[in-house]
Each structure stands twice: as structure tokens, then as C-alpha cells.
Amino acid sequence: DIQMTQSPSSLSASVGDRVTITCRASQSISSYLNWYQQKPGKAPKLLIYTASSLQSGVPSRFSGSGSGTDFTLTVSSLQPEDFATYYCQQSYSTPRTFGQGTNVEIK
Amino acid sequence: EVQLVETGGGLIQPGGSLRISCAASGFTVSSNYMSWVRQTPGKGLEWVSIIYSGGSTYYAGSVKGRFTISRDNSKNILYLQMNSLRAEDTAVYYCARTYDYGDSDAFDIWGQGTMVTVSS
């Protein structure tokens, strides 16, 4: 199974900050990497698919990059509604696997 | 409106069986890939199973041989039959449409989740 490791596990940031979250795969997954946002008590929401494609309806302040084993999710200017937990997930092989999550908290 | 609604969760004793359901609206289950994903506080998000539009099914190693994914095309419902349940199967279970982008896929629509608790 492909292991996905996110860093950091948590971070504190202020509204307006630029935030970057990293995801590393245990082997090359080309660009088969998705990002999700989850708020407490809610289901995850797809933000980015195939490493850098923005899902319909997702604000353009969210962006993704990377290929191979190293990927990043960037929020260019953090908004109050962006405080949540973010997960990466590989779609390169079965079983699909997720990172452990990054909790973005208000500073 | 495109929507998924899970039902059927509850408290079940170890070794017991439970079937959870996921009713879809706004799209056709049988024309899409559909997955079950579960979430526990300790282990985060874990993919459980997928059924492809052609009918092929795959399972996580942790549930293989105990869980069965299926669908009722006439009712547009996805199911997960869970047998020989263990305490470690306790989780919120989500169904998710697994959208095929051609050469990749992602979980683009999720249900609200149903809680399954395995305990005596």
C-alpha cells in the first residue's frame, strides 16, 4: 500500500496568511493526488484533483502543485471559512490511501 | 440536486452483521464508480471498498472477506454488507461518488455519513 504523509500535522495561522501544506507519497504516484477539506461534523469536500485541477465551485485562492512523490496545497490568503482539516489522497493505486490530515487553526 | 444519503448505522455487537445503505439522487449509481470510506478518530480517513460501473469490486485488506459492496440499480442505492464485525470497525461510514476524470479519479460527492459502533 502507498503511504501518504502530510506535514505539518497542525498549524496556526491568521486571516490573510498564505498557508502551504505538504504531502509526500511513499512511492511515485505521478499526478494522481487529490486534496480535501473537512470541517467538524461534516463530510470531506473535494478541493483539488489530479494534483493541480481546481474542483468546480472551489475558490481560486486554493491551488495545488507537485508530481511524483511531493505535493503541496496552498491557500493564498486564508479566509475565516478555511479553518478546517485538510487531507491528501492518492488515486494511483488500490487501495486508495489518505494522509493523516493537517488541522489549520486560528492563531 | 446531486445528493447521497446514508442510512442504517447503529450499535452492533462484535461478531454481528449490519447493512448500511446510500441512496443517490441527481445521478445514476450504476453509471458511476462508487466507494465507501470510513473515518475513526484514531486512524483518520480509510478507504473501504469500491464498485466500478462495470460491476468489479475491490476491498481494503482490513475488510476483505467480511464486507460486501453492492448496488440496486432499480432503486439507485449503494449498499455495504458488513459481517463478522469487530471493535476496530467502529467508525463513521461515508459513501462517495468516485468521479472518473479519464486517467484519474476522486471522491467528488459525499454523503453525510452514518455511525457504526461495534461494542458489547
Side-chain angles (χ1 to χ4, degrees):
Chain A
D1 298 1
I2 297 174
Q3 292 193 359
M4 308 300 294
T5 304
Q6 290 180 232
S7 60
S9 295
S10 65
L11 65 88
S12 295
S14 301
V15 172
D17 284 353
R18 181 182 181 89
V19 169
T20 298
I21 298 168
T22 297
C23 179
R24 175 165 289 177
S26 60
Q27 67 181 73
S28 177
I29 57 170
S30 185
S31 296
Y32 299 120
L33 191 283
N34 306 316
W35 289 98
Y36 302 85
Q37 175 194 68
Q38 187 179 31
K39 297 181 179 179
K42 300 294 187 181
K45 172 188 174 183
L46 178 64
L47 299 176
I48 302 283
Y49 63 93
T50 322
S52 60
S53 297
L54 194 67
Q55 175 69 355
S56 176
V58 174
S60 59
R61 62 181 180 272
F62 291 93
S63 64
S65 65
S67 66
T69 60
D70 295 315
F71 302 85
T72 59
L73 173 70
T74 299
V75 187
S76 61
S77 179
L78 204 64
Q79 298 301 300
E81 60 269 29
D82 300 336
F83 292 95
T85 300
Y86 294 85
Y87 294 93
C88 62
Q89 174 249 325
Q90 61 84 15
S91 61
Y92 180 81
S93 67
T94 299
R96 304 291 192 255
T97 46
F98 292 85
Q100 82 281 10
T102 296
N103 185 27
V104 177
E105 301 174 321
I106 301 174
K107 182 182 285 184
Chain B
E1 181 189 7
V2 175
Q3 191 175 345
L4 292 167
V5 178
E6 299 100 334
T7 55
L11 175 64
I12 188 78
Q13 291 190 338
S17 297
L18 191 68
R19 188 180 78 165
I20 56 178
S21 303
C22 171
S25 55
F27 71 96
T28 303
V29 165
S30 61
S31 299
N32 287 270
Y33 306 166
M34 297 294 297
S35 296
W36 287 97
V37 177
R38 66 186 180 183
Q39 185 169 33
T40 62
K43 294 186 69 176
L45 291 164
E46 180 185 18
W47 171 83
V48 172
S49 180
I50 188 170
I51 183 167
Y52 288 100
S53 51
S56 299
T57 59
Y58 295 89
Y59 300 90
S62 57
V63 307
K64 193 172 185 179
R66 300 188 298 123
F67 289 12
T68 302
I69 190 171
S70 64
R71 64 193 183 205
D72 185 324
N73 296 345
S74 65
K75 296 181 178 178
N76 211 31
I77 295 177
L78 179 74
Y79 298 104
L80 186 68
Q81 176 69 43
M82 302 181 288
N83 299 330
S84 303
L85 281 160
R86 307 166 180 167
E88 54 265 34
D89 296 319
T90 295
V92 175
Y93 284 74
Y94 296 101
C95 63
R97 186 175 76 171
T98 311
Y99 192 79
D100 179 15
Y101 293 99
D103 62 347
S104 68
D105 56 65
F107 307 120
D108 73 325
I109 300 168
W110 296 67
Q112 85 286 357
T114 188
M115 183 71 205
V116 173
T117 303
V118 184
S119 176
S120 55

